[in-house]
Amino acid sequence: MSDIEKCLFVVDRKDLDRQTREEFNRFQEGSVEENTNTVTLVRRLLSTDYADKVIVTTIQKLGLALAEEDSKHNKAKEKNGKEIYKKRLEPLKDKRMVFIFDECHRSQFGNYNTAIKAFFPNAKLFGFTGTPIFEDNATNVIREDGKATYKVTKDIFDQELHKYTITHAIDDRNVLRFHIDFFKGKNSTKINQGETVKRKAVVESILEKHNGATNNRKFNAILATASINNAIEYYQLFKKVQKKKQSENPDYLPLNIACVFSPPAQLIAKDGDRQSQKNAADIKQLQEDLIQEREDNTQNPEEKKRALTEIITDYNIQYGTNHSIHEFDLYYQDVQKRIKDQKYSNKDYPHKNKIDITIIVDMLLTGFDSKYLNTLYVDKNLKYHGLIQAFSRTNRVLNDSKPYGNILDFRSQQDAVNQAIALFSGEDSGQSRKIWLIDPAPVIIEKYKEAVDKLGDFMQQQNLVNEPQEVYGLRGDAARITFVKNFKEVQRLKTQLDQYTDLDEDQKTTIETILPYETLQRFRSSYLETAKRLREIQQKGGDEVPPEIQQLDFEFVLFASAIIDYDYIMNLIADNMQKKPSKHKMTKEQVISLLKSNSNLMEEEEDLTEYINSLDWNSGQDVKSLYQGYNTFKVQKHNKELAAIAHKYGLEIADLKAFVEEIMSRMIFDGEKLTDLLEPLSLSWKERRVKELALMEDLVPQLNKLAQGREISGLTAYE
């Protein structure tokens, strides 16, 4: 790039959130930063510093820098009399410049792009987009020689350098396919194309289907609405309906609902102070691509402002924040962050801090990515690039626990989906449709049945009945490996079916008949026990581990639950222990079975199982006493195990306990401290080495259990 004066990465302002800035900063090892304002952009454009060779900016700031003095958008001339930015940039006019536009289907059809091309005639412009503007989806009209034609992406960027369509990306598994559930209403009532379903029915349907669609809240969702008024109504409906559900059922766990739409900038500006003026200007820039929101805010703006203020107040109460409508961008950034915080387990980041559903109008439908967002609820008319961009919020690849992007459409937009696929597939739309959309439920149900039958055939070949407890009778690692592979496929297909939101009652009955829930849970327990056994062999490493075990991927994520965690189990125990025996929902054995069938509790499963077995199921303990009892149980068990190890190796219990406590306090294993521990035994160096290895073989599992997944530096030498 030595002969290039500047290279600018240009993005839309609404895409340049904190994470995007960080990603751009990693693009170049040098100083690449987003400009805080147009003044900074102009300074860096004129700079000869090599660190300013590559600049990340927004098209809004760049366009503003090139605005004419008499333009209605021009605010470049400052009160202190500084020259207009465009005049200051004259020395760069004929320089070799490179502009790279991200999401170039947006913001390229107005004055900004024209101003950039006119001012920098020697510039090279490159554009990236997954949804280019063609004649079919164009809205911008140009008039030449008395004729009106649509302006398309090719008119702006000329030659197409490379085509990699969404069809290719899906086929290459770089993004996921889509499952689209066109809402039918109760009793399969037909909903006509584009017809609006009553919003209360939409809310009820979402609350009914959300857990299934999001893999029991492992993922989260967006609800796209047609207007700000609709978004407000939905927000209020969710509050009302969920409050009623909680009053009827104390065990109901409400969804955390957020709502975000841009405020009326004209009212923010009227508040008078300098910061308000700046915030209003930022909101106006933000709204340049938020067509519906910008229009909505011209109608009854006071009402919109009041509603958004109440929504932000609720948000502050829910999450302990202190946001204000006058600093809307900070609120918007926080909403995006909390959506992405779904990646953390409830143990590491409690569910109360997360967002289950975000109600939006235009925001977040383009340029926003989160691997843990898998569902889009649609109550607005979408088409062409707008539809594909919105659907694509759900299809970022994670693992097999997220098999596809989930779309629940409440406007029955089958024709719009077909048109979008045909336009953006770049190939035969019939074949592309098979690539874009997942198989219908009957096809997966049949595959599920075949996988269960294959598992049964394997068990029969081993002279075993196809029952979960029989898995423990498998002889040899080869048989256990085959079971792991067979049952993993059963669970993978069941995970897919669990997230289908359009299963009818007959299909649900068929799935249950193929493999009843209780049997499936016990098979999951057998799988996890078998997988743990093979994983222990795998973790030993070395040439002694057979290749077929070394290559196993147990995919424990398929067996993890976002709901059934440590707190859930404790509350479940308390709930049953406080009831009369005749009112018990679950027996002790059923709770243990549930515990054993979920991989996210695998490390504590042994201790929890022993603790549950020790409990009197009719003692009426509450959650607090159960927590205290379990902690006491673990301490006592740990002390007994340490005492046994100390006795086995002739060590003082207090010395061994102090050794372990120091390791855990620093999370560092110190080999010299181990030597000091064995010093009183007066061993030769050979004897000490043998004793040291034997002691650590018994001690490493204890240390790893105490670490709870954290890494103890220096311990790997003994693992």
Side-chain angles (χ1 to χ4, degrees):
M1 280 177 49
S2 58
D3 60 337
I4 300 295
E5 185 70 21
K6 300 285 178 184
C7 178
L8 278 77
F9 291 85
V10 187
V11 298
D12 278 346
R13 182 182 185 280
K14 67 179 179 179
D15 292 336
L16 204 58
D17 59 16
R18 292 187 183 96
Q19 180 174 349
T20 311
R21 283 197 288 268
E22 290 170 2
E23 290 170 358
F24 273 119
N25 288 346
R26 287 193 292 270
F27 180 84
Q28 186 189 34
E29 290 184 2
S31 173
V32 179
E33 59 185 32
E34 194 264 334
N35 303 287
T36 56
N37 51 44
T38 306
V39 177
T40 307
L41 171 60
V42 172
R43 177 186 61 76
R44 296 190 69 205
L45 280 168
L46 294 169
S47 169
T48 57
D49 191 329
Y50 193 81
D52 292 320
K53 190 89 167 178
V54 178
I55 302 173
V56 179
T57 190
T58 65
I59 193 169
Q60 289 85 0
K61 292 187 184 105
L62 185 58
L64 185 62
L66 301 176
E68 296 292 343
E69 187 171 0
D70 59 354
S71 168
K72 65 178 180 179
H73 298 295
N74 177 44
K75 294 182 181 177
K77 192 168 186 178
E78 299 182 357
K79 292 181 180 179
N80 61 5
K82 282 187 179 179
E83 287 184 331
I84 201 78
Y85 296 139
K86 188 173 181 180
K87 292 179 181 178
R88 294 174 60 194
L89 293 174
E90 285 289 339
L92 296 178
K93 188 173 177 64
D94 297 319
K95 298 290 186 180
R96 287 170 56 81
M97 310 282 285
V98 173
F99 294 91
I100 301 176
F101 295 91
D102 188 34
E103 303 284 358
C104 73
H105 59 278
R106 284 202 312 252
S107 302
Q108 298 299 315
F109 296 88
N111 296 329
Y112 290 153
N113 181 277
T114 303
I116 293 166
K117 292 170 77 171
F119 191 82
F120 298 107
N122 293 325
K124 296 295 182 183
L125 276 65
F126 298 88
F128 294 96
T129 177
T131 51
I133 304 300
F134 302 110
E135 286 191 10
D136 288 345
N137 62 318
T139 57
N140 290 273
V141 177
I142 55 175
R143 296 184 180 277
E144 293 179 352
D145 301 326
K147 294 182 180 180
T149 58
Y150 284 113
K151 194 173 184 180
V152 298
T153 301
K154 191 175 185 300
D155 294 329
I156 295 173
F157 290 98
D158 299 324
Q159 181 182 358
E160 183 182 275
L161 296 180
H162 179 66
K163 182 191 293 184
Y164 184 80
T165 68
I166 300 175
T167 305
H168 296 138
I170 294 173
D171 206 26
D172 292 343
R173 299 187 179 183
N174 288 324
V175 292
L176 300 173
R177 297 197 289 172
F178 299 107
H179 168 244
I180 306 177
D181 177 1
F182 296 106
F183 182 73
K184 304 177 183 64
K186 290 191 176 180
N187 302 318
S188 297
T189 303
K190 182 176 175 57
I191 306 297
N192 296 322
Q193 178 89 10
E195 182 177 333
T196 303
V197 181
K198 289 184 178 180
R199 279 179 272 284
K200 191 171 187 297
V202 173
V203 169
E204 294 284 3
S205 179
I206 289 174
L207 292 177
E208 176 189 343
K209 297 189 176 191
H210 184 82
N211 280 356
T214 59
N215 197 351
N216 285 320
R217 308 191 192 187
K218 178 174 183 177
F219 305 104
N220 51 20
I222 286 175
L223 167 57
T225 65
S227 69
I228 289 179
N229 283 343
N230 286 2
I232 294 167
E233 184 178 353
Y234 269 121
Y235 181 79
Q236 293 169 343
L237 269 172
F238 271 107
K239 285 177 66 175
K240 181 179 178 181
V241 173
Q242 291 207 106
K243 186 175 181 180
K244 184 172 183 288
K245 285 182 176 290
Q246 281 184 288
S247 67
E248 294 171 347
N249 177 15
D251 293 333
Y252 175 73
L253 180 63
L255 298 173
N256 294 336
I257 309 294
C259 181
V260 62
F261 53 83
S262 58
Q266 65 273 32
L267 295 186
I268 303 298
K270 282 182 180 178
D271 289 340
D273 61 22
R274 187 173 180 179
Q275 186 61 40
S276 295
Q277 297 294 328
K278 181 182 182 302
N279 292 335
D282 289 343
I283 291 166
K284 283 183 179 179
Q285 281 194 346
L286 184 68
Q287 287 177 342
E288 286 180 5
D289 290 322
L290 308 177
I291 299 171
Q292 185 65 51
E293 293 185 22
R294 189 173 68 239
E295 175 62 29
D296 286 350
N297 273 312
T298 64
Q299 308 295 321
N300 300 319
E302 288 285 358
E303 179 184 300
K304 309 290 194 305
K305 181 182 177 183
R306 184 167 55 252
L308 184 56
T309 299
E310 291 175 1
I311 288 167
I312 293 175
T313 299
D314 287 348
Y315 187 94
N316 288 335
I317 294 170
Q318 167 73 30
Y319 299 111
T321 51
N322 190 31
H323 295 300
S324 163
I325 194 171
H326 295 95
E327 293 182 303
F328 175 77
D329 189 56
L330 295 178
Y331 168 64
Y332 183 35
Q333 296 290 343
D334 195 50
V335 169
Q336 293 179 74
K337 176 183 176 298
R338 287 186 191 277
I339 294 173
K340 294 180 178 181
D341 283 344
Q342 193 72 19
K343 65 185 178 183
Y344 300 115
S345 70
N346 288 342
K347 180 181 178 183
D348 295 330
Y349 196 67
H351 173 258
K352 67 179 181 179
N353 297 321
K354 302 174 184 176
I355 296 175
D356 291 305
I357 300 175
T358 307
I359 303 170
I360 55 96
V361 182
D362 291 330
M363 289 179 163
L364 300 176
L365 287 184
T366 60
F368 176 78
D369 288 330
S370 170
K371 291 182 178 182
Y372 282 80
L373 194 160
N374 83 325
T375 299
L376 174 69
Y377 302 115
V378 183
D379 188 20
K380 70 182 298 180
N381 293 333
L382 296 169
K383 61 180 183 179
Y384 296 127
H385 56 283
L387 182 147
I388 299 304
Q389 286 284 338
F391 282 21
S392 295
R393 298 314 100 213
T394 69
N395 74 340
R396 297 309 184 245
V397 174
L398 180 65
N399 52 46
D400 280 347
S401 68
K402 183 185 179 184
Y404 43 76
N406 238 331
I407 314 296
L408 182 51
D409 174 36
F410 292 97
R411 298 212 173 183
S412 200
Q413 299 177 90
Q414 294 97 326
D415 290 347
V417 170
N418 292 335
Q419 290 166 0
I421 292 175
L423 183 62
F424 293 109
S425 64
E427 300 165 7
D428 172 62
S429 60
Q431 182 63 30
S432 295
R433 184 180 171 83
K434 293 179 182 178
I435 295 173
W436 283 50
L437 306 180
I438 65 171
D439 292 325
V443 174
I444 303 299
I445 291 172
E446 183 57 33
K447 289 182 178 179
Y448 180 57
K449 183 179 183 303
E450 290 172 1
V452 173
D453 289 344
K454 184 178 179 182
L455 176 65
D457 292 342
F458 162 73
M459 295 295 284
Q460 189 175 14
Q461 291 166 9
Q462 303 299 311
N463 297 316
L464 297 170
V465 179
N466 190 24
E467 292 290 338
Q469 67 273 13
E470 294 288 287
V471 173
Y472 302 109
L474 290 171
R475 295 174 178 267
D477 289 337
R480 296 185 187 98
I481 290 168
T482 304
F483 165 74
V484 163
K485 290 179 178 178
N486 283 340
F487 187 72
K488 190 168 65 175
E489 179 64 10
V490 170
Q491 182 60 43
R492 187 182 67 80
L493 291 165
K494 184 61 166 59
T495 299
Q496 288 189 34
L497 288 171
D498 286 344
Q499 294 176 50
Y500 272 71
T501 55
D502 53 354
L503 296 173
D504 59 34
E505 292 305 315
D506 288 342
Q507 289 170 331
K508 291 176 183 177
T509 300
T510 300
I511 293 168
E512 177 67 13
T513 302
I514 292 171
L515 192 60
Y517 174 79
E518 292 292 339
T519 307
L520 174 66
Q521 290 295 93
R522 288 188 286 119
F523 261 122
R524 284 167 57 102
S525 300
S526 301
Y527 174 93
L528 291 174
E529 289 293 327
T530 305
K532 279 195 290 185
R533 181 173 176 178
L534 292 171
R535 186 182 63 170
E536 287 174 4
I537 300 173
Q538 189 183 71
Q539 289 176 339
K540 288 181 179 178
D543 298 333
E544 297 179 4
V545 180
E548 56 271 23
I549 295 181
Q550 287 179 342
Q551 295 163 10
L552 270 180
D553 181 356
F554 301 106
E555 295 191 77
F556 289 122
V557 69
L558 284 172
F559 300 84
S561 169
I563 289 181
I564 303 171
D565 57 13
Y566 176 73
D567 292 334
Y568 179 91
I569 292 292
M570 286 300 187
N571 279 280
L572 189 63
I573 295 169
D575 184 47
N576 281 278
M577 292 179 75
Q578 292 176 34
K579 289 181 168 65
K580 294 179 180 179
S582 60
K583 299 290 185 179
H584 286 167
K585 294 179 183 178
M586 296 181 72
T587 65
K588 185 185 294 188
E589 291 72 24
Q590 287 173 323
V591 173
I592 291 173
S593 177
L594 185 65
L595 166 67
K596 286 177 173 289
S597 65
N598 288 277
S599 62
N600 47 319
L601 292 168
M602 200 160 57
E603 303 305 327
E604 285 212 57
E605 178 258 311
E606 181 182 332
D607 287 348
L608 273 169
T609 299
E610 289 182 24
Y611 177 62
I612 294 170
N613 275 323
S614 72
L615 295 171
D616 178 357
W617 214 239
N618 299 311
S619 62
Q621 293 189 58
D622 59 17
V623 172
K624 184 178 179 181
S625 66
L626 285 170
Y627 279 131
Q628 292 172 342
Y630 181 52
N631 287 332
T632 301
F633 170 84
K634 285 197 295 182
V635 169
Q636 291 175 346
K637 182 181 178 184
H638 171 66
N639 288 338
K640 286 180 182 177
E641 289 171 342
L642 274 189
I645 293 173
H647 179 73
K648 180 177 179 180
Y649 295 100
L651 300 170
E652 291 293 331
I653 296 175
D655 292 344
L656 181 59
K657 190 173 182 180
F659 174 68
V660 169
E661 287 175 351
E662 183 171 357
I663 291 172
M664 299 313 302
S665 67
R666 300 171 60 211
M667 294 302 290
I668 297 173
F669 176 81
D670 187 340
E672 291 185 5
K673 297 290 184 181
L674 178 60
T675 301
D676 293 342
L677 178 68
L678 297 174
E679 185 65 30
L681 301 182
S682 300
L683 302 170
S684 67
W685 71 268
K686 286 186 178 180
E687 291 173 326
R688 190 180 68 240
R689 181 59 179 166
V690 172
K691 181 85 71 171
E692 178 182 294
L693 292 173
L695 170 62
M696 290 307 299
E697 187 172 348
D698 286 342
L699 206 54
V700 163
Q702 294 289 324
L703 294 171
N704 283 332
K705 186 187 290 187
L706 292 171
Q708 295 185 330
R710 295 173 296 162
E711 182 182 354
I712 299 175
S713 178
L715 192 62
T716 52
Y718 291 96
E719 290 181 316

